[in-house]
Amino acid sequence: MDKELGFPSKHRLSESGSYDGSDTDVESVGLQIAKEADHDIKYRTCSWQKTAGLLFSEYICLAILSFPWSFSVLGLVPGVIVTIAVAASVQYTSLVLWRFCLKHPEIRDVCDIGRMLFGGSELAYNVTSIFFLLNNTFIQALHCLVGAKVLNTLTGSALCTVAFSAITAIICFFISLPRPLSHLSALGTFSAATMGIAVLLAIVFAGVQDHPFGYIAGEEPIVHLFAPKGTTYVAGMSAFLNILYTFVGQITLPSFIAEMENPKDFPKALWAVTIAEIVTFTLCGALMYHWVGNQYMTAPAFGSLQEPYKKIAFAFAIPTIVFLGSLYASVSARFVFFRIFRNSRHLHSNTVLGWAVWVAIIAAVWVLAFVIAEVIPFFSDMLSLMSSLFDGWFGFIFWGLAYLSLHPGQERWKGPWRTAETLLNYGLILFGFYVLVAGTYTSIASIIIDYTGQKPFSCASNAL
């Protein structure tokens, strides 16, 4: 219990472990909202629709256009099966996360959960905090590079890539400035909508163009129902992990739930985005792979389109490129800001000091992201390595442990269904460790294979 904030420490779940909607968790959320009534800046203001906008902006993103590549490595049938299976596992673990947050409405972010899962350990809290900030900062850095990629593609590499990366970071800095997440929801919905248009255009253009980009006369696109002969473990794992990393986004969900007016409504937003994910990811992966084939596939798949189709579709991805990086920056800045001003009026008031510190934090995380993006010459593989180190924990291990916390002792073995669910969660924990080990091995192997002596702060074009 956080005595300083006055949150109740007991919250009731039903016998099935689901929320029963009637106990002190509702009261404590109500107390939080009541305490904010006279504040200049209110945080618990997100409806489930606004939360859905944030979720759509996080998941309907440029990574969708890497699914055709994954399908080309795994084969069409395994690609579809893996997509649906990973979506189902992330949906389930996200619901466990939600139930845990309902039981502990004082949670503000995944770092608080890390402390709770490991017996209130400050070490666990600090390690989780480092992982949390590194994960978010690397995703921001990715968006600096992808922003440079789209600007290089659209302008014919009119400027140095470093300059385009800096321009992207500056634009993202300004978008990150609003403090409550509810203020970002409308932009998030817009970015998800434009990304949806970009995906639709890419699929349509792949189907209507005469041939994929790079087509060699007489060599028609080759499509495999199953993994092509000779596919290595590293290649197969890379394709699998690409799908996994796109779905695993639970690291931000506690931050979203912490700003909802009624956290009970979170599943509405979650189901909406999961259904959209399964449909969009599967159709994009399968249809573009069908029309492009193995030998002409690129990641993102925009690169497999002829001109001007490539530029038209890629242009619609700009809003999600700048917004999603900004969303992760805002979540990181919020974590730091709340630690600095935990019990201060600057947290909720429009004070000069409060805004100065907020702006400084936003600026610092974007400068750091820009530097990381430019200093690491094999950034794409390094991002995969970071995802391997973090996503096993934040995608599976944490939520298996959260389930065990919700159902302590013999309670988790009551009846066949509860026993089956308990075994499932032990399996998720083991799978998380497999992702940690196998993903790390695959990422390091990819770094060794792909590194060709690239230099930091290179002006070389990264256009598609």
Side-chain angles (χ1 to χ4, degrees):
M1 182 178 89
D2 190 330
K3 296 181 179 178
E4 291 182 350
L5 296 180
F7 296 142
S9 59
K10 295 182 180 179
H11 313 284
R12 190 173 68 192
L13 297 179
S14 68
E15 280 299 309
S16 65
S18 61
Y19 173 69
D20 71 5
S22 61
D23 212 82
T24 52
D25 45 0
V26 176
E27 296 172 10
S28 60
V29 170
L31 286 173
Q32 292 176 39
I33 294 173
K35 286 183 177 182
E36 291 189 330
D38 297 327
H39 294 157
D40 297 333
I41 300 171
K42 301 175 178 62
Y43 292 98
R44 273 210 182 266
T45 54
C46 272
S47 63
W48 76 263
Q49 293 92 340
K50 288 183 177 181
T51 303
L54 295 173
L55 288 175
F56 271 97
S57 70
E58 181 177 5
Y59 288 106
I60 306 301
C61 61
L62 188 63
I64 298 172
L65 272 299
S66 65
F67 272 62
W69 172 80
S70 288
F71 280 36
S72 74
V73 177
L74 298 173
L76 189 59
V77 174
V80 172
I81 292 173
V82 168
T83 299
I84 295 173
V86 172
S89 67
V90 171
Q91 172 74 2
Y92 172 75
T93 54
S94 297
L95 289 172
V96 172
L97 179 161
W98 164 70
R99 286 156 52 192
F100 192 84
C101 288
L102 283 181
K103 186 176 181 181
H104 302 282
E106 68 272 24
I107 289 171
R108 287 222 56 90
D109 47 54
V110 75
C111 306
D112 290 336
I113 294 178
R115 176 162 46 196
M116 290 180 180
L117 292 179
F118 293 94
S121 166
E122 284 301 309
L123 176 61
Y125 176 83
N126 292 329
V127 171
T128 304
S129 300
I130 293 171
F131 281 14
F132 175 67
L133 293 174
L134 282 176
N135 177 84
N136 293 357
T137 305
F138 267 78
I139 291 176
Q140 291 174 239
L142 173 66
H143 284 80
C144 289
L145 289 180
V146 175
K149 183 185 288 288
V150 69
L151 292 174
N152 270 321
T153 301
L154 296 180
T155 65
S157 304
L159 292 177
C160 170
T161 294
V162 176
F164 277 142
S165 182
I167 290 170
T168 303
I170 292 169
I171 294 172
C172 290
F173 162 77
F174 286 105
I175 295 175
S176 306
L177 288 176
R179 276 159 68 174
L181 288 174
S182 59
H183 292 179
L184 294 174
S185 179
L187 282 175
T189 302
F190 175 73
S191 76
T194 55
M195 189 64 225
I197 294 172
V199 172
L200 180 61
L201 288 175
I203 294 172
V204 171
F205 290 157
V208 302
Q209 66 183 0
D210 293 334
H211 302 290
F213 181 75
Y215 174 75
I216 300 173
E219 295 188 15
E220 297 304 314
I222 299 172
V223 178
H224 296 275
L225 288 179
F226 297 92
K229 185 178 180 180
T231 301
T232 65
Y233 175 78
V234 170
M237 274 300 297
S238 294
F240 167 71
L241 292 171
N242 177 68
I243 293 175
L244 185 73
Y245 297 156
T246 304
F247 276 105
V248 171
Q250 297 99 311
I251 193 171
T252 61
L253 300 192
S255 301
F256 295 167
I257 294 171
E259 298 203 10
M260 290 189 70
E261 294 173 319
N262 188 356
K264 289 189 301 177
D265 288 339
F266 178 73
K268 298 177 183 177
L270 185 64
W271 276 108
V273 75
T274 300
I275 292 170
E277 283 178 309
I278 292 173
V279 173
T280 307
F281 294 7
T282 304
L283 288 179
C284 179
L287 292 176
M288 290 205 71
Y289 175 44
H290 170 73
W291 282 314
V292 172
N294 281 73
Q295 65 270 55
Y296 307 114
M297 184 59 65
T298 63
F302 290 128
S304 301
L305 301 176
Q306 298 278 2
E307 299 281 4
Y309 298 142
K310 178 191 304 181
K311 290 183 178 180
I312 294 171
F314 208 2
F316 278 94
I318 293 176
T320 197
I321 290 169
V322 296
F323 177 80
L324 186 52
S326 302
L327 179 62
Y328 275 90
S330 180
V331 170
S332 292
R334 182 169 280 93
F335 166 78
V336 177
F337 190 75
F338 270 75
R339 270 59 197 171
I340 295 174
F341 293 125
R342 181 179 291 275
N343 295 308
S344 168
R345 65 187 180 90
H346 301 293
L347 188 67
H348 296 284
S349 302
N350 287 312
T351 63
V352 173
L353 178 60
W355 275 106
V357 171
W358 175 259
V359 172
I361 296 170
I362 293 289
V365 295
W366 275 114
V367 169
L368 180 60
F370 169 74
V371 171
I372 289 174
E374 297 302 326
V375 164
I376 302 174
F378 44 87
F379 181 81
S380 178
D381 288 323
M382 179 59 73
L383 180 65
S384 295
L385 177 60
M386 292 296 102
S387 297
S388 300
L389 293 172
F390 303 150
D391 286 359
W393 292 98
F394 296 132
F396 300 98
I397 298 171
F398 264 36
W399 317 124
L401 293 175
Y403 169 86
L404 298 178
S405 174
L406 291 171
H407 303 284
Q410 292 302 310
E411 181 185 336
R412 67 185 66 143
W413 305 108
K414 288 182 178 179
W417 287 108
R418 173 66 67 229
T419 298
E421 189 175 7
T422 298
L423 292 174
L424 171 63
N425 279 274
Y426 277 117
L428 289 172
I429 293 171
L430 291 176
F431 179 70
F433 281 111
Y434 172 75
V435 170
L436 175 64
V437 176
T440 300
Y441 166 78
T442 301
S443 300
I444 293 174
S446 295
I447 290 174
I448 295 171
I449 293 169
D450 295 341
Y451 182 58
T452 56
Q454 305 97 314
K455 302 297 182 183
F457 288 96
S458 172
C459 276
S461 176
N462 63 349
L464 289 176

